[in-house]
Amino acid sequence: MNALNSLMDGFGTALTPVNLLWAALGVLLGTAIGVLPGIGPAMAVALLLPVTYGLDPVAAFIMFAGIYYGAMFGGSTTSILLNTPGESAAVVAAMEGNPMAKSGRGAQALAAAAIGHFAGGMIGTVLLVALAPTVADLAVDIGAPDYFAIMVLAFIAVTSVLGSSRVRGMASLLIGLTIGLVGLDQMTGQQRLTFGSLQLADGVDVVIVAVGLFAIGEALWVAAHLRRGAAEPIPVGRPWLGRGDVKRTWKSWLRGPFIGFPFGAIPAGGAEIPTFLSYVTEKRLSTHKDEWGKGAIEGVAGPESAASASAAGTLVSMLTLGLPTTAVAAVMLAAFQQYGIQPGPLLFEREPELVWGLIASLFVGMVLLLALNLPLAPVWAKLLRIPRPYLYAGIMFFAAVGAYAVGGEVVDLVTLLVIGLVGFGMRRYGLPILPAVIGVILGPNAEQQLRRALQISDGSVTGLVNTPFAVTVYAVIVVLLAWPLLKRLVTRGRSRADA
Amino acid sequence: MTTPTTESPTGTATGRRAWLREHSELGVCVLLLALGVLVLTDALTMDVDITQRGPVGPKTVPIAVGIGLLVISALLAVDVLRGGRGEAEGGEDVDLSEPADWRTVLLLTGVFLGSAVLIEPAGFPVAGALLFWGAAFALGSRRVDRDPLIAAVLSLLTYVVFDKLLGVPLPGGPLMGVL
């Protein structure tokens, strides 16, 4: 099998001592930053971007993979021990994990989460190896109209599946698209929204937008509403599992990935929906129904495994189609663009060393994560006690370092602050952040594909829908848009049937 | 979160102020509207001459985005007037029961701008340390013995790691010239 050979080569890349070091560093940094309250995986990856500027792309992405998985694991530690999840994917971990910690079973909850992440990540990555080359092969022939359709799908999905309000999601997307317009038009060199400024002619760097919205926006928002007297974390020892616990959880660990992986691959908000679905499934299948809500270990194991596998699913669409389905993938895509690499079907042909090194390092990272996090859990728990002023001052500090490192210009810092203030306003009025980031990253690309498609068809709009692939994608978009209506019809029908 | 519309009497000044506070989200609509007008003006005043290749020029997408902004601004206004409210984002350290603390936000913004101005003349180690200390102070930390020390160590360490180890250049400033 070809994929297997390539994977072996990938291990050859990932297992060199230097790359092993980057993977370990990524896992440690990712977990440490993910554990810190208020920092989710997306902010962790955005803040750590500048660390990789001096590295070659292979090392950088090996490190990123570690950061991603580490940050996701770190987030669940926070929700188990603090019960105040900062991001939606970790909400489920708190539902059973925190009661467990309160009743003195925190060590078992952390162990169930850590092994769940390991199992989910392993199975998810195996699925990634099996599927990604096939998807890439299928996608090699797709052209400009198909790409444009996929990007429109990403825009629609990100605004209508996530969040509670479509209007606000759409507003956020349009803000992102507007920021993406600033600069020279890629096809004609026409200045757009630059107001004659030379600095703006280069456009606004995606890294600055991501760091501004995720890090500065968050720090300012928390500063305005800082909780007096932060929640006390529950102290915890070294994670371990008894035989009875393992008997209860092994099936949950294995079930989770099959819920998580497919959801990660489609633009439906990453880990949020699959963790919840896994929770519901485990609850239905559990033989200890009386423990639910009071700390059922399956309720930690299943969702954590699903969350980790969804990260692998995310990488399938990111690497093969260049389609980011979560905030972390969006930031990673920005990192790819920074190196002048365009993820997509050709990536597997053009950069085999990078892709397979990255995939192999996912396996390596997973083993490191398990090996490091079980013994280090008490240390991570101590991070939860960091004084909040230092935490948010540190976020501002590293955000500034990141923005300055992009080009060494003071103007970038001012831009960063302005975008941070936009992020603050968006948090205040419930505009989701992700659509804006997706808009900035995919907007310019989508415009290019649109114009290319219309050039080929000589201006005829039929040029956008002349492939079966594009037609299928537009059909999916119509279903997504009509979904609230359909749902209303279904529930009405059901309530009539009940009555 | 959807709260039922409260038809407040707009006759008195206090009533009007309360109504505006209740509907402050309309400010977002105004900003979106302004942004839409800006994008449209920029697109329509662009001189596109021979540089335009293909049927879709550099104007088309900005015009579409601008119109989209105007439409969304109107839709959001309708939603707000009907009683829809954007849900403020929660979080681990966020307490939404207290009113927003604008002083801290302004202080943080000021500290950040100050450091941005200082970074080139004074160098990163100094500007970064001031940024950390200033931000921690703004956020309520008052340990005069510990805060500046942490700030200086963090800033110096970051400078060394980025500039010397990772090959990401940061300005050293006069201080690093002396050392």
Side-chain angles (χ1 to χ4, degrees):
Chain A
M1 229 177 105
N2 208 359
L4 224 52
N5 282 336
S6 316
L7 183 63
M8 283 305 134
D9 290 342
F11 272 111
T13 312
L15 288 177
T16 57
V18 180
N19 285 340
L20 212 54
L21 183 78
W22 291 124
L25 200 65
V27 167
L28 279 176
L29 274 176
T31 315
I33 294 188
V35 167
L36 291 174
I39 305 188
M43 203 211 286
V45 178
L47 281 177
L48 288 172
L49 263 178
V51 178
T52 60
Y53 281 168
L55 301 179
D56 69 288
V58 177
F61 284 101
I62 284 177
M63 192 166 163
F64 266 133
I67 293 171
Y68 188 4
Y69 281 107
M72 286 193 58
F73 173 79
S76 57
T77 306
T78 317
S79 16
I80 290 170
L81 299 181
L82 263 185
N83 194 28
T84 44
E87 29 119 29
S88 42
V91 170
V92 174
M95 293 196 320
E96 296 301 321
N98 190 253
M100 281 184 76
K102 274 189 186 140
S103 59
R105 290 185 17 98
Q108 282 80 358
L110 285 183
I115 300 172
H117 268 271
F118 177 75
M122 278 297 183
I123 297 173
T125 312
V126 168
L127 291 174
L128 167 72
V129 171
L131 281 178
T134 321
V135 177
D137 276 348
L138 286 178
V140 159
D141 293 330
I142 70 176
D146 308 308
Y147 275 118
F148 181 67
I150 293 178
M151 288 172 194
V152 174
L153 172 66
F155 292 152
I156 299 296
V158 89
T159 49
S160 55
V161 177
L162 298 175
S164 46
S165 162
R166 284 181 176 210
V167 182
R168 290 175 180 82
M170 201 49 100
S172 166
L173 175 69
L174 285 167
I175 292 174
L177 288 176
T178 307
I179 298 175
L181 283 176
V182 176
L184 297 181
D185 171 35
Q186 289 179 21
M187 291 178 111
T188 62
Q190 174 75 46
Q191 295 208 10
R192 296 194 297 195
L193 293 171
T194 57
F195 311 107
S197 147
L198 265 181
Q199 258 99 12
L200 284 178
D202 286 337
V204 185
D205 197 284
V206 223
V207 175
I208 293 177
V209 178
V211 173
L213 287 177
F214 285 123
I216 299 283
E218 179 77 13
L220 293 177
W221 175 239
V222 174
H225 291 277
L226 192 60
R227 196 187 291 280
R228 307 285 163 216
E232 263 304 287
I234 300 161
V236 73
R238 197 191 153 138
W240 60 277
L241 281 180
R243 185 172 297 197
D245 288 326
V246 175
K247 228 180 210 165
R248 281 178 63 178
T249 45
W250 70 270
K251 281 188 199 147
S252 316
W253 286 326
L254 295 183
R255 269 194 296 261
F258 295 97
I259 301 173
F261 185 82
F263 273 96
I266 57 169
E272 187 178 340
I273 298 172
T275 44
F276 189 73
L277 280 181
S278 166
Y279 180 84
V280 175
T281 311
E282 295 307 328
K283 192 172 176 180
R284 197 163 291 164
L285 295 173
S286 171
T287 47
H288 299 77
K289 290 222 166 52
D290 51 311
E291 280 183 27
W292 286 79
K294 285 172 247 162
I297 194 164
E298 301 96 319
V300 178
E304 286 309 294
S305 165
S308 185
S310 86
T314 301
L315 289 177
V316 174
S317 12
M318 215 268 285
L319 294 175
T320 60
L321 297 173
L323 178 70
T325 56
T326 61
V328 185
V331 180
M332 276 177 87
L333 191 67
F336 270 106
Q337 289 175 348
Q338 204 78 163
Y339 284 106
I341 300 168
Q342 184 59 47
L346 294 176
L347 186 69
F348 281 77
E349 274 171 39
R350 284 191 195 146
E351 306 272 351
E353 197 203 346
L354 172 69
V355 178
W356 290 104
L358 172 65
I359 293 176
S361 75
L362 295 178
F363 288 107
V364 177
M366 221 74 64
V367 175
L368 288 173
L369 198 62
L370 192 67
L372 291 173
N373 280 334
L374 286 181
L376 283 178
V379 180
W380 299 139
K382 283 211 182 78
L383 281 179
L384 294 174
R385 295 178 180 278
I386 182 171
R388 295 307 184 259
Y390 293 160
L391 175 60
Y392 292 100
I395 292 176
M396 303 266 298
F397 176 84
F398 281 107
V401 174
Y404 192 80
V406 169
E409 285 185 69
V410 176
V411 183
D412 286 344
L413 289 175
V414 180
T415 315
L416 178 77
L417 183 66
V418 171
I419 292 175
L421 288 169
V422 171
F424 174 82
M426 289 172 73
R427 283 178 172 79
R428 164 69 181 83
Y429 289 108
L431 302 188
I433 301 293
L434 181 58
V437 175
I438 298 265
V440 178
I441 292 174
L442 287 187
N445 218 330
E447 181 186 5
Q448 231 181 339
Q449 300 291 358
L450 169 75
R451 285 160 72 177
R452 209 170 280 161
L454 288 175
Q455 245 168 21
I456 297 165
S457 73
D458 214 25
S460 163
V461 189
T462 50
L464 295 177
V465 287
N466 59 4
T467 66
F469 184 88
V471 173
T472 318
V473 174
Y474 285 118
V476 174
I477 293 172
V478 170
V479 172
L480 272 180
L481 284 175
W483 181 245
L485 256 159
L486 291 173
K487 204 166 74 179
R488 209 174 298 157
L489 287 176
V490 169
T491 43
R492 199 176 291 164
R494 201 177 284 162
S495 59
R496 204 172 291 157
D498 287 345
Chain B
M1 214 181 291
T2 317
T3 45
T5 328
T6 41
E7 286 302 325
S8 33
T10 42
T12 60
T14 48
R16 192 169 298 154
R17 200 172 297 155
W19 188 90
L20 278 178
R21 191 173 297 152
E22 179 81 357
H23 293 81
S24 63
E25 205 176 341
L26 289 174
V28 179
C29 305
V30 174
L31 286 178
L32 288 172
L33 182 79
L35 193 62
V37 170
L38 185 74
V39 173
L40 275 180
T41 325
D42 185 78
L44 293 173
T45 54
M46 220 179 260
D47 336 296
V48 182
D49 35 79
I50 9 162
T51 49
Q52 170 154 0
R53 265 175 269 143
V56 179
K59 277 181 169 190
T60 318
V61 172
I63 290 178
V65 171
I67 293 174
L69 280 165
L70 299 186
V71 171
I72 280 298
S73 155
L75 287 178
L76 187 61
V78 170
D79 184 68
V80 172
L81 290 176
R82 277 195 184 156
R85 288 289 172 276
E87 196 175 336
E89 197 183 87
E92 279 143 343
D93 290 330
V94 172
D95 181 6
L96 290 174
S97 56
E98 303 263 326
D101 177 3
W102 291 107
R103 223 184 110 247
T104 309
V105 177
L106 277 177
L107 260 173
L108 277 179
T109 312
V111 165
F112 192 91
L113 277 179
S115 315
V117 171
L118 276 178
I119 195 163
E120 245 137 58
F124 178 83
V126 175
L130 286 177
L131 171 61
F132 184 88
W133 186 17
F137 183 87
L139 287 159
S141 181
R142 293 290 183 274
R143 296 284 300 269
V144 193
D145 51 338
R146 201 172 61 176
D147 297 355
L149 198 69
I150 294 178
V153 170
L154 177 75
S155 192
L156 208 59
L157 206 66
T158 309
Y159 172 76
V160 171
V161 168
F162 274 82
D163 198 70
K164 308 282 183 245
L165 294 179
L166 291 168
V168 180
L170 293 172
L175 188 67
M176 289 299 116
V178 174
L179 290 181

Tab-separated table of all heavy atoms in Angstrom, chain B residues 44-85:
chain	number	residue	atom	x	y	z
B	44	LEU	N	-16.753	51.877	-5.615
B	44	LEU	CA	-17.345	52.614	-6.730
B	44	LEU	C	-16.434	53.724	-7.232
B	44	LEU	O	-16.539	54.143	-8.387
B	44	LEU	CB	-18.708	53.182	-6.317
B	44	LEU	CG	-19.757	52.089	-6.060
B	44	LEU	CD1	-21.041	52.692	-5.493
B	44	LEU	CD2	-20.052	51.302	-7.328
B	45	THR	N	-15.538	54.214	-6.358
B	45	THR	CA	-14.650	55.282	-6.810
B	45	THR	C	-13.335	54.746	-7.369
B	45	THR	O	-12.446	55.510	-7.723
B	45	THR	CB	-14.316	56.247	-5.653
B	45	THR	OG1	-13.796	55.472	-4.569
B	45	THR	CG2	-15.525	57.014	-5.187
B	46	MET	N	-13.202	53.428	-7.407
B	46	MET	CA	-11.972	52.829	-7.941
B	46	MET	C	-11.886	53.109	-9.445
B	46	MET	O	-12.860	52.932	-10.148
B	46	MET	CB	-12.181	51.317	-7.774
B	46	MET	CG	-10.999	50.536	-7.329
B	46	MET	SD	-11.519	48.820	-7.183
B	46	MET	CE	-11.772	48.667	-5.439
B	47	ASP	N	-10.690	53.592	-9.953
B	47	ASP	CA	-10.636	53.685	-11.415
B	47	ASP	C	-10.064	52.391	-11.919
B	47	ASP	O	-8.901	52.108	-11.704
B	47	ASP	CB	-9.706	54.782	-11.984
B	47	ASP	CG	-9.489	55.883	-11.018
B	47	ASP	OD1	-10.493	56.518	-10.742
B	47	ASP	OD2	-8.341	56.089	-10.550
B	48	VAL	N	-10.934	51.654	-12.542
B	48	VAL	CA	-10.460	50.423	-13.159
B	48	VAL	C	-10.383	50.702	-14.644
B	48	VAL	O	-11.367	51.068	-15.255
B	48	VAL	CB	-11.458	49.291	-12.894
B	48	VAL	CG1	-10.952	48.009	-13.488
B	48	VAL	CG2	-11.683	49.151	-11.418
B	49	ASP	N	-9.171	50.618	-15.212
B	49	ASP	CA	-9.096	50.862	-16.652
B	49	ASP	C	-8.754	49.560	-17.363
B	49	ASP	O	-9.413	48.559	-17.166
B	49	ASP	CB	-8.074	51.967	-16.936
B	49	ASP	CG	-6.925	51.890	-15.959
B	49	ASP	OD1	-6.049	51.043	-16.162
B	49	ASP	OD2	-6.952	52.642	-14.965
B	50	ILE	N	-7.674	49.606	-18.094
B	50	ILE	CA	-7.320	48.419	-18.862
B	50	ILE	C	-6.892	47.273	-17.967
B	50	ILE	O	-6.810	46.148	-18.407
B	50	ILE	CB	-6.166	48.734	-19.846
B	50	ILE	CG1	-5.638	50.127	-19.511
B	50	ILE	CG2	-6.622	48.585	-21.283
B	50	ILE	CD1	-4.317	50.420	-20.039
B	51	THR	N	-6.565	47.614	-16.703
B	51	THR	CA	-6.062	46.558	-15.829
B	51	THR	C	-7.105	45.468	-15.625
B	51	THR	O	-6.790	44.368	-15.215
B	51	THR	CB	-5.678	47.116	-14.455
B	51	THR	OG1	-6.750	47.900	-13.993
B	51	THR	CG2	-4.405	47.899	-14.509
B	52	GLN	N	-8.362	45.821	-15.875
B	52	GLN	CA	-9.412	44.815	-15.648
B	52	GLN	C	-9.327	43.706	-16.693
B	52	GLN	O	-9.414	43.934	-17.883
B	52	GLN	CB	-10.785	45.486	-15.715
B	52	GLN	CG	-11.905	44.467	-15.727
B	52	GLN	CD	-13.174	45.055	-15.178
B	52	GLN	OE1	-13.238	46.195	-14.786
B	52	GLN	NE2	-14.210	44.242	-15.130
B	53	ARG	N	-9.124	42.488	-16.187
B	53	ARG	CA	-9.082	41.340	-17.080
B	53	ARG	C	-10.213	40.407	-16.696
B	53	ARG	O	-10.482	40.213	-15.525
B	53	ARG	CB	-7.743	40.605	-16.936
B	53	ARG	CG	-6.726	41.048	-17.974
B	53	ARG	CD	-5.409	40.383	-17.696
B	53	ARG	NE	-4.592	41.204	-16.824
B	53	ARG	CZ	-3.802	40.712	-15.876
B	53	ARG	NH1	-3.754	39.430	-15.656
B	53	ARG	NH2	-3.079	41.521	-15.135
B	54	GLY	N	-10.864	39.832	-17.670
B	54	GLY	CA	-11.947	38.895	-17.386
B	54	GLY	C	-13.213	39.651	-17.039
B	54	GLY	O	-13.201	40.865	-16.823
B	55	PRO	N	-14.300	38.944	-16.984
B	55	PRO	CA	-15.596	39.577	-16.786
B	55	PRO	C	-15.789	40.121	-15.370
B	55	PRO	O	-16.551	41.062	-15.169
B	55	PRO	CB	-16.587	38.458	-17.082
B	55	PRO	CG	-15.810	37.192	-16.925
B	55	PRO	CD	-14.397	37.502	-17.231
B	56	VAL	N	-15.106	39.532	-14.396
B	56	VAL	CA	-15.262	40.017	-13.033
B	56	VAL	C	-14.003	40.757	-12.639
B	56	VAL	O	-12.927	40.181	-12.561
B	56	VAL	CB	-15.501	38.836	-12.068
B	56	VAL	CG1	-15.635	39.356	-10.654
B	56	VAL	CG2	-16.759	38.087	-12.476
B	57	GLY	N	-14.125	42.039	-12.425
B	57	GLY	CA	-12.965	42.848	-12.106
B	57	GLY	C	-12.769	42.964	-10.610
B	57	GLY	O	-13.436	42.292	-9.832
B	58	PRO	N	-11.854	43.832	-10.207
B	58	PRO	CA	-11.583	43.992	-8.781
B	58	PRO	C	-12.718	44.658	-8.016
B	58	PRO	O	-12.672	44.727	-6.796
B	58	PRO	CB	-10.318	44.869	-8.761
B	58	PRO	CG	-10.267	45.525	-10.084
B	58	PRO	CD	-10.943	44.611	-11.044
B	59	LYS	N	-13.729	45.182	-8.745
B	59	LYS	CA	-14.818	45.891	-8.060
B	59	LYS	C	-15.897	44.958	-7.551
B	59	LYS	O	-16.557	45.246	-6.546
B	59	LYS	CB	-15.491	46.847	-9.051
B	59	LYS	CG	-14.823	48.159	-9.221
B	59	LYS	CD	-15.645	48.964	-10.212
B	59	LYS	CE	-15.195	50.404	-10.253
B	59	LYS	NZ	-16.120	51.218	-11.021
B	60	THR	N	-16.113	43.864	-8.269
B	60	THR	CA	-17.322	43.064	-8.052
B	60	THR	C	-17.484	42.578	-6.614
B	60	THR	O	-18.527	42.790	-5.993
B	60	THR	CB	-17.304	41.846	-8.997
B	60	THR	OG1	-16.841	42.293	-10.258
B	60	THR	CG2	-18.677	41.238	-9.111
B	61	VAL	N	-16.428	41.919	-6.112
B	61	VAL	CA	-16.557	41.349	-4.771
B	61	VAL	C	-16.730	42.427	-3.693
B	61	VAL	O	-17.601	42.304	-2.839
B	61	VAL	CB	-15.386	40.393	-4.476
B	61	VAL	CG1	-15.389	39.950	-3.033
B	61	VAL	CG2	-15.465	39.181	-5.393
B	62	PRO	N	-15.938	43.528	-3.744
B	62	PRO	CA	-16.194	44.576	-2.746
B	62	PRO	C	-17.628	45.101	-2.800
B	62	PRO	O	-18.228	45.370	-1.749
B	62	PRO	CB	-15.205	45.674	-3.129
B	62	PRO	CG	-14.117	44.973	-3.832
B	62	PRO	CD	-14.736	43.805	-4.526
B	63	ILE	N	-18.184	45.227	-4.005
B	63	ILE	CA	-19.569	45.708	-4.094
B	63	ILE	C	-20.507	44.715	-3.417
B	63	ILE	O	-21.386	45.089	-2.628
B	63	ILE	CB	-19.954	45.947	-5.569
B	63	ILE	CG1	-19.186	47.160	-6.095
B	63	ILE	CG2	-21.453	46.176	-5.708
B	63	ILE	CD1	-19.432	47.476	-7.544
B	64	ALA	N	-20.273	43.416	-3.672
B	64	ALA	CA	-21.119	42.400	-3.053
B	64	ALA	C	-20.988	42.440	-1.535
B	64	ALA	O	-21.994	42.401	-0.802
B	64	ALA	CB	-20.741	41.019	-3.580
B	65	VAL	N	-19.739	42.559	-1.035
B	65	VAL	CA	-19.533	42.598	0.420
B	65	VAL	C	-20.195	43.842	1.009
B	65	VAL	O	-20.854	43.786	2.058
B	65	VAL	CB	-18.021	42.560	0.745
B	65	VAL	CG1	-17.773	42.830	2.219
B	65	VAL	CG2	-17.429	41.209	0.374
B	66	GLY	N	-20.046	44.981	0.320
B	66	GLY	CA	-20.644	46.224	0.805
B	66	GLY	C	-22.152	46.120	0.900
B	66	GLY	O	-22.752	46.499	1.920
B	67	ILE	N	-22.770	45.577	-0.141
B	67	ILE	CA	-24.233	45.419	-0.114
B	67	ILE	C	-24.615	44.453	1.006
B	67	ILE	O	-25.567	44.693	1.765
B	67	ILE	CB	-24.740	44.922	-1.479
B	67	ILE	CG1	-24.527	46.024	-2.530
B	67	ILE	CG2	-26.217	44.550	-1.410
B	67	ILE	CD1	-24.863	45.612	-3.939
B	68	GLY	N	-23.834	43.366	1.139
B	68	GLY	CA	-24.086	42.410	2.215
B	68	GLY	C	-24.067	43.091	3.576
B	68	GLY	O	-24.935	42.847	4.417
B	69	LEU	N	-23.097	43.977	3.792
B	69	LEU	CA	-23.001	44.683	5.072
B	69	LEU	C	-24.244	45.540	5.317
B	69	LEU	O	-24.781	45.569	6.426
B	69	LEU	CB	-21.748	45.551	5.100
B	69	LEU	CG	-20.431	44.820	5.400
B	69	LEU	CD1	-19.242	45.688	5.039
B	69	LEU	CD2	-20.350	44.427	6.865
B	70	LEU	N	-24.712	46.236	4.275
B	70	LEU	CA	-25.902	47.074	4.436
B	70	LEU	C	-27.116	46.211	4.783
B	70	LEU	O	-27.891	46.544	5.689
B	70	LEU	CB	-26.182	47.867	3.152
B	70	LEU	CG	-25.092	48.835	2.690
B	70	LEU	CD1	-25.576	49.648	1.500
B	70	LEU	CD2	-24.674	49.762	3.821
B	71	VAL	N	-27.259	45.079	4.081
B	71	VAL	CA	-28.411	44.208	4.317
B	71	VAL	C	-28.371	43.645	5.740
B	71	VAL	O	-29.376	43.671	6.470
B	71	VAL	CB	-28.430	43.058	3.277
B	71	VAL	CG1	-29.485	42.034	3.635
B	71	VAL	CG2	-28.672	43.612	1.888
B	72	ILE	N	-27.181	43.171	6.144
B	72	ILE	CA	-27.063	42.574	7.475
B	72	ILE	C	-27.311	43.615	8.560
B	72	ILE	O	-27.943	43.338	9.577
B	72	ILE	CB	-25.667	41.932	7.643
B	72	ILE	CG1	-25.645	40.559	6.966
B	72	ILE	CG2	-25.285	41.776	9.092
B	72	ILE	CD1	-26.601	39.553	7.541
B	73	SER	N	-26.825	44.833	8.317
B	73	SER	CA	-27.056	45.902	9.279
B	73	SER	C	-28.560	46.112	9.478
B	73	SER	O	-29.043	46.239	10.610
B	73	SER	CB	-26.379	47.176	8.777
B	73	SER	OG	-26.989	48.314	9.310
B	74	ALA	N	-29.306	46.111	8.374
B	74	ALA	CA	-30.760	46.289	8.467
B	74	ALA	C	-31.412	45.106	9.178
B	74	ALA	O	-32.251	45.276	10.079
B	74	ALA	CB	-31.342	46.457	7.064
B	75	LEU	N	-30.999	43.886	8.817
B	75	LEU	CA	-31.599	42.691	9.428
B	75	LEU	C	-31.326	42.655	10.929
B	75	LEU	O	-32.200	42.308	11.728
B	75	LEU	CB	-31.030	41.423	8.778
B	75	LEU	CG	-31.500	41.113	7.366
B	75	LEU	CD1	-30.813	39.867	6.834
B	75	LEU	CD2	-33.017	40.920	7.357
B	76	LEU	N	-30.091	43.037	11.302
B	76	LEU	CA	-29.743	43.029	12.720
B	76	LEU	C	-30.577	44.062	13.468
B	76	LEU	O	-31.067	43.808	14.578
B	76	LEU	CB	-28.247	43.313	12.888
B	76	LEU	CG	-27.699	43.178	14.308
B	76	LEU	CD1	-27.889	41.764	14.823
B	76	LEU	CD2	-26.225	43.546	14.360
B	77	ALA	N	-30.782	45.234	12.839
B	77	ALA	CA	-31.590	46.268	13.477
B	77	ALA	C	-33.007	45.761	13.721
B	77	ALA	O	-33.579	45.959	14.803
B	77	ALA	CB	-31.610	47.517	12.595
B	78	VAL	N	-33.557	45.076	12.723
B	78	VAL	CA	-34.905	44.524	12.876
B	78	VAL	C	-34.933	43.532	14.043
B	78	VAL	O	-35.806	43.567	14.910
B	78	VAL	CB	-35.352	43.820	11.564
B	78	VAL	CG1	-36.636	43.038	11.782
B	78	VAL	CG2	-35.519	44.847	10.468
B	79	ASP	N	-33.906	42.663	14.086
B	79	ASP	CA	-33.826	41.654	15.139
B	79	ASP	C	-33.755	42.313	16.522
B	79	ASP	O	-34.452	41.913	17.446
B	79	ASP	CB	-32.603	40.766	14.902
B	79	ASP	CG	-32.507	39.634	15.903
B	79	ASP	OD1	-33.375	38.748	15.838
B	79	ASP	OD2	-31.604	39.655	16.751
B	80	VAL	N	-32.939	43.371	16.644
B	80	VAL	CA	-32.779	44.031	17.943
B	80	VAL	C	-34.088	44.707	18.350
B	80	VAL	O	-34.522	44.614	19.503
B	80	VAL	CB	-31.625	45.057	17.883
B	80	VAL	CG1	-31.584	45.890	19.149
B	80	VAL	CG2	-30.306	44.352	17.679
B	81	LEU	N	-34.738	45.368	17.394
B	81	LEU	CA	-35.973	46.075	17.724
B	81	LEU	C	-37.093	45.103	18.092
B	81	LEU	O	-37.996	45.438	18.847
B	81	LEU	CB	-36.408	46.965	16.551
B	81	LEU	CG	-35.490	48.162	16.325
B	81	LEU	CD1	-35.909	48.933	15.095
B	81	LEU	CD2	-35.471	49.077	17.546
B	82	ARG	N	-36.985	43.880	17.550
B	82	ARG	CA	-37.984	42.876	17.911
B	82	ARG	C	-37.662	42.226	19.250
B	82	ARG	O	-38.388	41.352	19.707
B	82	ARG	CB	-38.004	41.785	16.855
B	82	ARG	CG	-38.836	42.116	15.651
B	82	ARG	CD	-39.040	40.846	14.913
B	82	ARG	NE	-39.762	41.040	13.682
B	82	ARG	CZ	-39.669	40.195	12.662
B	82	ARG	NH1	-38.878	39.141	12.768
B	82	ARG	NH2	-40.363	40.395	11.584
B	83	GLY	N	-36.526	42.584	19.842
B	83	GLY	CA	-36.196	42.052	21.155
B	83	GLY	C	-35.080	41.032	21.158
B	83	GLY	O	-34.771	40.454	22.191
B	84	GLY	N	-34.464	40.778	20.005
B	84	GLY	CA	-33.332	39.851	19.975
B	84	GLY	C	-32.113	40.499	20.602
B	84	GLY	O	-31.896	41.693	20.463
B	85	ARG	N	-31.320	39.703	21.320
B	85	ARG	CA	-30.115	40.238	21.951
B	85	ARG	C	-28.941	39.316	21.681
B	85	ARG	O	-29.073	38.103	21.784
B	85	ARG	CB	-30.278	40.321	23.473
B	85	ARG	CG	-31.201	41.406	23.955
B	85	ARG	CD	-30.599	42.806	23.760
B	85	ARG	NE	-31.587	43.819	24.070
B	85	ARG	CZ	-32.503	44.249	23.210
B	85	ARG	NH1	-32.542	43.781	21.987
B	85	ARG	NH2	-33.385	45.150	23.565
